Amino acid sequence: MTTKLSGTLKREIRIGGADYTLTITPESLVLAAKGRRKGLTLAWDELVSGEAALANALNASLSAKLEPAIEQRPKLRVVGKKSAKRPTHRTR
């Protein structure tokens, strides 16, 4: 026997080493980086209506800002950037 979803259900999930919060409501589901309010929102009717809605959801997921918090992001190293050489002493 299943239970009707009448309120909000929140669960934490780890994806690729980053923590996310999945919020399930009777209207939609929302996946957001932990500690963030905005994320990917997918309405249930969009999910069950077919491929066109799923394509829209995929495009939205690609443009959504679901980046993990700064302390969880891997450090990036700049490659190929050279600093300008400066003279060591002044000439008069």
Side-chain angles (χ1 to χ4, degrees), residues 51-86:
E51 289 185 35
L54 289 176
N56 284 336
L58 177 60
N59 288 334
S61 70
L62 294 175
S63 64
K65 294 183 179 181
L66 290 178
E67 298 178 16
I70 293 172
E71 62 274 359
Q72 293 178 343
R73 278 192 243 161
K75 292 183 180 178
L76 300 177
R77 190 171 50 125
V78 178
V79 177
K81 188 174 182 180
K82 295 181 181 180
S83 61
K85 292 184 179 180
R86 296 183 181 181

Side-chain angles (χ1 to χ4, degrees), residues 1-67:
M1 187 166 134
T2 59
T3 305
K4 284 191 175 190
L5 183 62
S6 58
T8 301
L9 179 65
K10 287 189 174 189
R11 294 293 183 260
E12 184 178 317
I13 185 170
R14 183 173 284 260
I15 303 171
D19 292 332
Y20 292 88
T21 301
L22 177 65
T23 305
I24 303 172
T25 67
E27 296 81 29
S28 64
L29 61 92
V30 178
L31 181 65
K34 188 172 180 184
R36 308 281 181 173
R37 290 184 183 189
K38 295 183 179 180
L40 171 66
T41 302
L42 183 59
W44 293 117
D45 57 348
E46 291 176 1
L47 181 65
V48 297
S49 67
E51 289 185 35
L54 289 176
N56 284 336
L58 177 60
N59 288 334
S61 70
L62 294 175
S63 64
K65 294 183 179 181
L66 290 178
E67 298 178 16

